[in-house]
Amino acid sequence: DAGVTQSPTHLIKTRGQQVTLRCSPKSGHDTVSWYQQALGQGPQFIFQYYEEEERQRGNFPDRFSGHQFPNYSSELNVNALLLGDSALYLCASSSTGAPGNTIYFGEGSWLTVV
Amino acid sequence: AQSVTQLDSQVPVFEEAPVELRCNYSSSVSVYLFWYVQYPNQGLQLLLKYLSGSTLVESINGFEAEFNKSQTSFHLRKPSVHISDTAEYFCAVSDGGSYIPTFGRGTSLIVHP
């Protein structure tokens, strides 16, 4: 049973560019959440997708957008990159209705903005 | 709104010694509580969780945590640590409505030989 998979694992972008990160949820999961983890910090919630719609959003600017596809996979897009966007971006999947709705994380995508 | 406080940013300990990583939370509703572990350059892995029932929960690798509602705490303990337990540990809380966990800043457990 494949867990949550993310791509790419590492990437370097220049300030002002745009980036797209991809995520495939764990088998049987229909909900995908994205988190940003800055160095030395805990994960911060960006947004959650369910049934191809953004269900909840954290305190992140509109430069951060996402999409969920019919197969439940998801993308995170960040426009007009800033140096402060450098972080580990984590995708997490869960199954709506499961007790506690426990989330499972992928290995993450390391983004460096120079 | 809910929040999580991990009182120690770093906990150094010798191998085979006991350890406790502290976690306090604030929430106005009933909660689900989690501990996640993050090994270097990896994502987060679920260590254990409290959803309901017995307030003492255990993981398969010897960790345990106790939900204390009156003290709003969910401290993580292990009676004897190994070098391989060296990692970052995150406490998280979610309420029954949003299912969006809020994470603490993490505690770095450093096990010395």
Side-chain angles (χ1 to χ4, degrees), chain A residues 37 41 48 101-103, chain B residues 36 38 49 90 99-100 105:
Chain A
Q37 186 180 14
Q41 303 293 319
Q48 184 182 81
N101 205 27
T102 304
I103 62 174
Chain B
Y36 284 84
Q38 186 176 36
K49 60 186 177 184
F90 293 93
Y99 297 123
I100 307 293
R105 296 185 64 170

Side-chain angles (χ1 to χ4, degrees), chain B residues 51-97:
Chain B
L51 304 180
S52 64
S54 172
T55 57
L56 184 65
V57 291
E58 299 177 350
S59 72
I60 59 173
N61 57 354
F63 283 95
E64 64 179 30
E66 185 161 18
F67 169 52
N68 188 318
K69 187 174 182 180
S70 63
Q71 297 186 6
T72 60
S73 68
F74 191 56
H75 301 332
L76 181 70
R77 303 184 182 96
K78 189 171 185 180
S80 176
V81 295
H82 301 286
I83 294 286
S84 60
D85 293 324
T86 295
E88 194 79 16
Y89 291 80
F90 293 93
C91 180
V93 60
S94 69
D95 62 46

